[in-house]
Each structure stands twice: as structure tokens, then as C-alpha cells.
Amino acid sequence: MLFRKKIILAVTGSIAAYKSALLARLLVKAGAEVRVIMTESSKDFITPLTLSTLTKNEVVSSFTTGPNGAWVNHVELGMWADVMMMAPASANMLAQCANGSCHNLMAAVYLSARCPVFFAPAMDLDMWRHPATQNNIDLLRNRGNYIIEPASGELASGLVGEGRMAEPDEIVQRLETFFNLARQMHGKKVLITAGPTREAIDPVRYISNHSSGKMGFALAEELAARGASVVLVSGPVSLKVQHPSIERINVTTAEEMLNEARKAFSSCDAAILTAAVADFKPAEPAESKIKKEQAPNNITLTGTTDILKELAASRTENQRIGGFALETNDGKKNAEAKLQNKHLDFIVLNELSEQNAVFGSDFNTIEIFSTETGWQNFGKQSKAEAARSIAGFLDQIIHHD
Ligand code: CTP
């Protein structure tokens, strides 16, 4: 699975840097092409000669460590790679990457890289547990980076606890699983709706809701990373799409979302509707701005079409469809009722509570229900991780020829 994969191995200053020699050897043995970037301080723990000999490639560490002192093109390196693996990742480099500061070549490559990035942290127990480090880990995770959690055991400091870098064979295993997943949805087309809709009261005012679109966008990125082509129909949000296999269609109203979703769905294998579509809209929006003095006492509302219900009713035998249920009470009961009523294959429950803010948050506590599987609880995850859980679930039920 790693055959001919282009891997940047980024080695930072930590005692665990000695393990990167073994990691480099395992990657090369598996057929990968490995280029190593070292920080200056990592050279106190392992020599560039060891890593260049093992990878049969020049090791770079500063902007001028190319052949004969030539400038190292960090953008080119970032573009070259299929994956970047920082192992070991020190607390300092995690902080630099999380905060976008760029004090060395490695950080510049990280900021330029378009490929997925993995971090295998290694540090002392208290450094790992420190809220500053945990905050940086959360930031990196929320941006879709992968963290290979450190293991527990005896640390170089003599303390015992979490902080040991994962073993090289486990890291290789994670990469293999990752590249396997990249082909999981190959040839599949999935429709995602995301964000809020806006329903006009007059040309300057509207009814809407707090949806940020983060969950739907994370799901679109995850499915695309697994090889699917994705049509993302999104209401007004301030998010950007990263993956080239995502076709983004911007809409404003529930009606526009319905029309675009209908058009796209007929050629899709599955749809997951995460959008917080307005259930009601002003029945007769004013054509010109309503003046203060003419403020109406009431606005008459009329229902919008339930996009999820309509698509589910029109689907063919091989198409799969799932929706979201945002509930404040009786979550499971209400979600199961929604699944029945809308004839869905599965439903993702978001329970809105003090602990699970959902709107705008980078975290989400989700549970997924289908009649065949019953309830599956995924606990509190970053939205990128929740997207992985949902994509994994979809893979189990999507029609494979
Ligand atoms: N949905 C939709 N079109 C609508 C309303 C909702 O596609 N007009 C989809 C949402 O994207 C979500 C699911 O339906 O996947 C659940 O929406 P929700 O508003 O929670 O449920 P409702 O069925 O509208 O019920 P209620 O508001 O009473 O909870």
C-alpha cells in the first residue's frame, strides 16, 4: 500500500528521534520514497547521515541545505508529498504548526503542504498534558491533521506516563490504513448539504439560524479524501473548500437548496444532508425595504419543502440517504421517529446541551442510528473526527457493485 508513495518524514528534537531511523527504514522497505527534513535540534539526537543513507535521499534542514548550498524550495517539497509525517513531533513544532509561525524550513513546508499531515508527538508527561499543548493538538485536529497519540510508558525523564512516541511499526500501520481509506469511496458520488439557509423578509432582512456549516464541510472533505466525488450544496457560510474533488454549489434559500440538491442527487450514490434548512419562510416577502414606521405586527410564515424527505422518497434501490437530527430532549426517540417518518437509511443525532454546543463549535458529540445497526455512540470528537466516523458508517452501507 505504501509502494511509490511520496512521504516527507519530518524529524524534530526529541529523544524519540532515534526511532525515526527505524521508521525511515520500514517506509523505504515498504516501497515508499522518503525525503527527510530535520530541525537543527534533532541533529543532537540522530545524524543526517543516518537518515540520508537509509532513505537514499539528501536530508534538508534549512533553506540553504540543498546540493552545494542551494535554496531548498519548501513549496516544491510540500507539493511533492502524498503525505507529511512529523515523527517525533516536539511540543515546540506542534506549537509552531498550530499557530502558523514559520521559524524553520520544516514549518515552511508544513504551511505549504497540500497533502494530509500526520503528527506523532513525543515529549514528557507534563508537557503533553499541559493545556497549551492540548490546545495546539485540538487546533491541529480541527484543521483535519491526523494525530497519532503517544503511548504510555517509561519516559526519558524517568517519569512514567503518556508521552512516548508511537512505535514505528504502528506509525507505518496508520499510514497503510490511511492510504487504504483513500480508495474506499473511489468511483462513488455523494451529495452533502451544509450550512443555514436565509429566507427574505424584505430585500435587506432575513430569517436564518446559527449553523456554521463546519460539520457538512468536514464531511465533504473526509469523503473526498476517501476517493469520492462530492457535490456540496451550501448555504451562506464563511468556509473554504480544500479538496479538488468537491464541487461546491452556493445557494441562499431553502428553495434554491432544494433545486440544486434535486439536480445533483439523481447521479449520486448517497446523500448526507447536514444543512440547517429553514423550516419556515415569510409567505410574502416585501419587495422593498420595510420602513420602521411601517413595521408589521406579524410576519406570516409558510413551510418550506423538507429536502431530506423529498430526496429519500425519490431514491432508487441502490441510493443511500442519511440526515441529521438536532434535538434538545428525547434525542434518541425523536431521531428514530425522524428516520421512520422521512424513510432514511440512517440518522445522525446531535444532542444540543451545555456540553455539546454544536453551532459554531469545533466539536460534536454524535450518535448514529440505522434499523440494521441500532445505535452507535461515537462520543465527543472534533468535527473532522466526527466526519471520519460518519464516512466510515456510510462506507458500511453504501452499495458496492
Ligand atoms: N432538512 C431538510 N430540509 C428541510 C428541513 C430539514 O433537508 N426543509 C433536513 C436537515 O438537513 C437534517 C434533517 O432534515 O438532515 C433534520 O432536520 P430537523 O430540522 O432537525 O428536523 P425536522 O424534521 O425539521 O423536525 P423538527 O424541526 O421538528 O425537529
Side-chain angles (χ1 to χ4, degrees):
M1 198 40 65
L2 296 181
F3 185 65
R4 292 215 174 128
K5 290 287 181 276
K6 299 186 184 106
I7 301 175
I8 292 176
L9 176 60
V11 182
T12 74
S14 153
I15 183 73
Y18 79 91
K19 291 187 187 173
S20 43
L22 183 52
L23 178 57
R25 200 173 76 90
L26 289 175
L27 293 173
V28 170
K29 231 172 115 188
E33 195 181 333
V34 182
R35 284 163 78 173
V36 175
I37 309 174
M38 297 179 78
T39 59
E40 282 308 320
S41 61
S42 72
K43 294 178 188 170
D44 293 335
F45 300 94
I46 185 167
T47 69
L49 184 63
T50 308
L51 292 169
S52 64
T53 309
L54 287 168
T55 59
K56 299 187 183 63
N57 268 323
E58 197 114 18
V59 168
V60 290
S61 53
S62 77
F63 290 96
T64 52
T65 46
N68 305 319
W71 180 65
V72 176
N73 186 338
H74 55 91
V75 177
E76 184 273 324
L77 247 181
M79 303 265 275
W80 167 84
D82 294 317
V83 76
M84 178 169 178
M85 167 64 70
M86 195 177 289
S90 63
N92 181 34
M93 274 312 294
L94 287 169
Q96 280 202 46
C97 294
N99 295 296
S101 60
C102 191
H103 295 309
N104 57 24
L105 176 72
M106 191 182 290
V109 172
Y110 169 72
L111 291 176
S112 317
R114 294 192 183 170
C115 61
V117 182
F118 283 73
F119 292 91
M123 66 198 73
D124 208 42
L125 170 70
D126 296 302
M127 289 171 79
W128 171 249
R129 275 198 195 147
H130 197 283
T133 306
Q134 288 303 312
N135 222 6
N136 290 330
I137 291 283
D138 285 346
L139 271 170
L140 292 166
R141 267 208 182 102
N142 293 336
R143 292 191 196 122
N145 297 283
Y146 296 82
I147 307 293
I148 303 180
E149 296 277 333
S152 254
E154 199 176 316
L155 302 166
S157 61
L159 294 174
V160 176
E162 255 191 346
R164 276 165 70 111
M165 186 177 93
E167 293 304 320
D169 50 359
E170 188 195 329
I171 294 175
V172 171
Q173 185 64 48
R174 285 287 289 271
L175 284 176
E176 279 179 347
T177 308
F178 171 80
F179 284 113
N180 261 333
L181 278 184
R183 297 195 315 191
Q184 186 183 65
M185 294 264 175
H186 182 72
K188 301 288 174 212
K189 192 170 170 189
V190 184
L191 165 70
I192 304 288
T193 64
T197 64
R198 288 180 185 168
E199 312 303 328
I201 297 172
D202 69 13
V204 296
R205 303 181 179 92
Y206 57 80
I207 298 176
S208 191
N209 59 62
H210 294 297
S211 170
S212 63
K214 283 181 184 172
M215 191 63 245
F217 274 61
L219 198 47
E221 294 291 346
E222 180 61 26
L223 291 165
R226 291 179 188 225
S229 57
V230 179
V231 182
L232 173 63
V233 181
S234 174
V237 293
S238 56
L239 299 173
K240 288 199 178 105
V241 157
Q242 316 266 347
H243 203 288
S245 303
I246 303 174
E247 180 197 352
R248 175 178 182 170
I249 301 172
N250 290 324
V251 295
T252 305
T253 65
E255 196 176 335
E256 287 167 9
M257 188 173 274
L258 170 69
N259 291 337
E260 294 299 337
R262 248 190 211 143
K263 266 191 259 167
F265 187 54
S266 55
S267 61
C268 284
D269 300 282
I272 306 178
L273 305 200
T274 75
V277 186
D279 288 321
F280 304 101
K281 62 178 181 181
E284 285 174 18
E287 274 172 22
S288 51
K289 187 182 168 196
I290 304 170
K291 302 301 285 177
K292 233 189 318 234
E293 306 77 55
Q294 298 156 356
N297 288 331
N298 299 299
I299 297 175
T300 307
L301 299 174
T302 177
T304 58
T305 307
D306 190 321
I307 306 171
L308 182 57
K309 196 169 179 174
E310 188 182 301
L311 296 190
S314 75
R315 78 180 188 281
T316 60
E317 199 190 325
N318 292 341
Q319 285 179 306
R320 301 286 176 266
I321 189 158
F324 271 64
L326 180 67
E327 307 292 344
T328 52
N329 50 292
D330 294 328
K332 286 188 172 172
K333 202 171 123 223
N334 287 333
E336 285 182 34
K338 255 170 216 177
L339 174 126
Q340 298 289 343
N341 171 8
K342 301 193 190 194
H343 302 289
L344 307 179
D345 294 303
F346 68 98
I347 191 137
V348 183
L349 169 64
N350 266 163
E351 238 166 329
L352 196 65
S353 65
E354 254 171 55
Q355 296 77 38
N356 194 31
V358 184
F359 285 127
S361 165
D362 288 323
F363 291 90
N364 207 353
T365 303
I366 59 158
E367 292 178 74
I368 306 182
F369 177 80
S370 79
T371 316
E372 291 72 34
T373 60
W375 281 101
Q376 289 186 29
N377 188 343
F378 293 91
K380 185 178 177 182
Q381 295 177 305
S382 74
K383 284 188 175 167
E385 286 167 324
R388 282 171 211 153
S389 304
I390 299 167
F393 185 90
L394 179 65
D395 177 60
Q396 286 169 36
I397 62 161
I398 204 165
H399 179 75
H400 291 284
D401 304 311

